[in-house]
Amino acid sequence: MPPPTPATDLLGRAAIAGFAPVVERCRGALVLLDDVAAAHVRCSIGAASLIAAGASSVVELGADVGSIAVSCRTMVAVVGGLELEATLPVLKQSIESIASAGNPAAPVDVTVFVAHNDAELAEMARHSHSQGHGSVSSSVTTLTGAESEMRRWPGVSPCVLHLRFGPTTPFPGLCYFPGCAGSLVPNVLEVEMAAISLAGLLDTIGASGGSGLWSCGEAAKAVVGQVGRYRRPLPGALLKANVVVMDRALDLAGPASSLSSSVIGRIMNGLPEPAGTVGSADRDVPFPLWGHGTCAAPAGLAHPECPDVRRLLGVLLSLDERAGLHELRSALLQAGSTANVTLPLSAKMGKVTKKQLDSYLAPFAAADAAVLQHAELLQLTSVVADSLGKGWAPTRGRAAPAEKTVMAAATDTDGAELLGMLVDLVPLPRKDGAPRAIEGGKDELLAPSELLLLAVVAYSLGFPSLDWDSEPQLRKVLTNLLATERPDLGDFAAVGETVGTALEGIGELVRSRHILKRYRSLMGDTTMAYEPLLKQIVADLFDSSVSEFPDLHKERGRGVGAAGGGGGGGRGGLLNTGLGLLGGMMGVGGTHPTDADVLVLVVLGGLTCEEIQEVQQIARQRDRKVQLLFAGTRAISTQQQVVAELFPFAARAD
């Protein structure tokens, strides 16, 4: 029997099939995408595929369309279903802007695809009579009236169709569940949406109904308990897929860290979105959408003869990051050759550096046709070059030395003194009100959000040996700092309450690991350095000498969802249940997670690039014959996510 088709290939084919209705209608049309649709296009088929199918241009809904050929009277819009009510006025404005610049007498043919993901479709089916969650049920009502409303727009001939968004793959080997909030601590609704999305993922790759499901964490347990309710019978499904789901809240040190060793990790964590990306509000996958906005492609432009940028991203995210950088450089040289752009070459190219990539990018600036033809490659090269520079993220550069100090102390003191050390790292105000620099010089000042991220790292690595008696002093110095630098947060008492709530939240999440037995600490037994929880789990799964997995709960097909196994609502609900793992933590018995064609590793809240690379390293070393497929409710978990969810008062620029 031939080996099974790689799961990522199956996902890619499904994405192409899902967008087939759009591709069929986009020939000669201007394609308008809202933020939700832009993320899906970027992660599935790529806008270049729409251009190749005959689209005159692909732009963001509401973007400046002044450079687009106004003779286009055919438009295709793809919008997220839950945003339809808010999107229609923006769509109308875009249509009027383009139509008024051309021949106002000619009618505008508009096809609107209203797209929902698996979770939203399931909700719509259950709440079609305006029951339950208002946002979903109202979208049903809005959808039925959308076409009628558009028919009242002058000169518009509309057609409103459904479109399904399935699991998307921003990088080869990694997929994420569109439409899931991706919260670090998901609530009941998010848990259900993740379960539906996971079921859709298994259906998409053709997994048999006997998939084994394991979980680590209360939210993860609730998710796997509901997956069976949403699986569809798949005649002839031969792919055996097992699933391990983990709560991101059990390991916040990774996404909170400033010490990213991965090029993609540094791009995701520290750089602003490059100019020309679609969906500026969507930080999930900040990579370019080809043919967007003022870089609109002229009608009839052939498919760009450039390398598969998505595959390059996959190589950069893999163990062969160095090879990925060399391949990126080679692709840029090839692009220059095919576009007749002369690049400065040397006999010995050596290591890929920012200076070298910048020197290759510069000649493209004067070649408009080459920029259009190789836009994705050029934008990817630009952000990679920035990530290789010493100043790739100035604020993270300030935090890195302090974090190294904290990590060294976690190794030397077993974590007990980390909270006290944090007190010494807080830049106390001077008499003139300006903050005092921490050790390292005047350029080493830490912003409040950086200090709070550092606190997440210290709490996570110090547990379970933390000296909690030092927490009041940490709260005091942080309150003093914030009261000085952020007067918008209120008086001293209000700031103190805000800081106290933030530190209590970190402490609650960290203390929730008390229930774990084997994975209570994030410090490796032999390395005495930070080891991600996911890495620890996979290392044990791929170690033939380990037969007991006390912290993994195996779902035994009991139909938990029907009995209300939906998990807690938010942080408090999860903590009050004690992670719900008592009684369920036992040897997996009978089957093993790696005894499958595909092992799907799901992190509720998103993975980090380092976790993906380290798990791949383990799989390569242990030589287990199982495909790994990474999945999450976010594509990549980042520092921005941690700040936004745990410290919303510090989410804005410091």
Side-chain angles (χ1 to χ4, degrees), residues 323-345:
L325 290 172
H326 283 271
E327 190 169 335
L328 176 66
R329 179 174 62 187
S330 297
L332 193 61
L333 293 174
Q334 179 63 31
S337 175
T338 58
N340 294 319
V341 175
T342 303
L343 304 183
L345 303 179

Side-chain angles (χ1 to χ4, degrees), residues 239 318 341 371 432 482 498 515 537 547:
L239 190 69
S318 72
V341 175
V371 170
D432 60 3
L482 277 167
T498 299
I515 197 67
I537 292 173
S547 58

Side-chain angles (χ1 to χ4, degrees), residues 276-627:
T277 12
V278 162
S280 59
D282 179 9
R283 296 287 311 181
D284 225 5
V285 190
F287 287 108
L289 183 69
W290 193 86
H292 154 62
T294 55
C295 190
L301 183 67
H303 192 290
E305 296 178 0
C306 62
D308 185 346
V309 172
R310 182 184 310 248
R311 193 184 65 78
L312 282 174
L313 289 171
V315 177
L316 288 170
L317 191 59
S318 72
L319 294 174
D320 302 315
E321 182 175 277
R322 181 178 177 184
L325 290 172
H326 283 271
E327 190 169 335
L328 176 66
R329 179 174 62 187
S330 297
L332 193 61
L333 293 174
Q334 179 63 31
S337 175
T338 58
N340 294 319
V341 175
T342 303
L343 304 183
L345 303 179
S346 59
K348 184 179 180 181
M349 290 187 288
K351 182 180 178 181
V352 179
T353 64
K354 172 178 171 55
K355 182 178 179 181
Q356 184 183 73
L357 293 181
D358 284 342
S359 71
Y360 292 167
L361 286 171
F364 281 93
D368 293 342
V371 170
L372 285 173
Q373 189 176 14
H374 300 286
E376 273 195 316
L377 176 62
L378 295 175
Q379 289 182 321
L380 174 61
T381 304
S382 176
V383 293
V384 169
D386 285 341
S387 75
L388 295 176
K390 292 183 179 180
W392 65 272
T395 57
R396 306 306 167 218
R398 292 196 303 256
E403 187 175 328
K404 289 179 181 178
T405 301
V406 168
M407 287 199 167
T411 300
D412 298 337
T413 67
D414 210 19
E417 300 177 7
L418 291 190
L419 295 191
M421 174 173 290
L422 280 181
V423 173
D424 295 333
L425 289 174
V426 176
L428 299 177
R430 298 196 306 249
K431 291 182 179 180
D432 60 3
R436 173 181 61 83
I438 64 171
E439 183 178 354
K442 63 180 180 180
D443 294 328
E444 299 294 331
L445 293 175
L446 295 181
S449 62
E450 293 172 317
L451 287 165
L452 291 166
L453 285 168
L454 192 60
V456 173
V457 174
Y459 276 70
S460 299
L461 300 186
F463 184 83
S465 304
L466 277 176
D467 177 16
W468 296 97
D469 291 340
S470 299
E471 191 175 59
Q473 181 63 17
L474 176 61
R475 173 176 175 172
K476 180 179 179 181
V477 295
L478 280 173
T479 299
N480 284 331
L481 175 65
L482 277 167
T484 302
E485 296 201 355
R486 293 288 302 277
D488 58 299
L489 294 179
D491 57 21
F492 189 87
V495 173
E497 184 176 347
T498 299
V499 171
T501 301
L503 295 182
E504 288 170 8
I506 301 173
E508 286 177 356
L509 290 174
V510 168
R511 281 190 289 265
S512 68
R513 292 211 311 267
H514 262 306
I515 197 67
L516 300 180
K517 299 177 181 179
R518 187 175 181 87
Y519 307 124
R520 185 173 294 183
S521 173
L522 297 179
M523 301 296 289
D525 293 334
T526 57
T527 62
M528 285 308 296
Y530 167 59
E531 286 195 0
L533 176 57
L534 183 65
K535 177 184 177 181
Q536 295 183 48
I537 292 173
V538 173
D540 282 350
L541 293 179
F542 279 63
D543 187 344
S544 58
S545 67
V546 179
S547 58
E548 294 291 326
F549 305 94
D551 295 332
L552 295 186
H553 177 276
K554 186 173 189 295
E555 173 57 33
R556 302 184 183 279
R558 299 167 298 180
V560 176
R571 178 191 298 155
L574 293 178
L575 298 176
N576 291 338
T577 60
L579 283 178
L581 300 178
L582 289 175
M585 289 180 162
M586 56 187 71
V588 297
T591 59
H592 191 282
T594 62
D595 181 21
D597 299 316
V598 178
L599 175 60
V600 184
L601 300 172
V602 183
V603 177
L604 303 180
L607 298 105
T608 67
C609 296
E610 286 70 29
E611 287 171 337
I612 294 172
Q613 291 177 331
E614 291 183 28
V615 167
Q616 288 177 327
Q617 179 69 34
I618 292 172
R620 176 179 291 185
Q621 291 173 344
R622 306 291 169 82
D623 195 28
R624 285 291 185 103
K625 304 301 182 183
V626 58
Q627 299 177 37

Side-chain angles (χ1 to χ4, degrees), residues 4-11 173 201-202 205-208 211-212 214 238-244 542 592-601 625-630:
T5 303
T8 49
D9 289 353
L10 294 170
L11 287 171
L201 170 62
L202 294 173
I205 65 176
S208 63
S211 299
W214 286 263
L238 299 176
L239 190 69
K240 184 178 180 182
N242 286 338
V243 181
V244 175
F542 279 63
H592 191 282
T594 62
D595 181 21
D597 299 316
V598 178
L599 175 60
V600 184
L601 300 172
K625 304 301 182 183
V626 58
Q627 299 177 37
L628 290 181
L629 178 60
F630 298 94

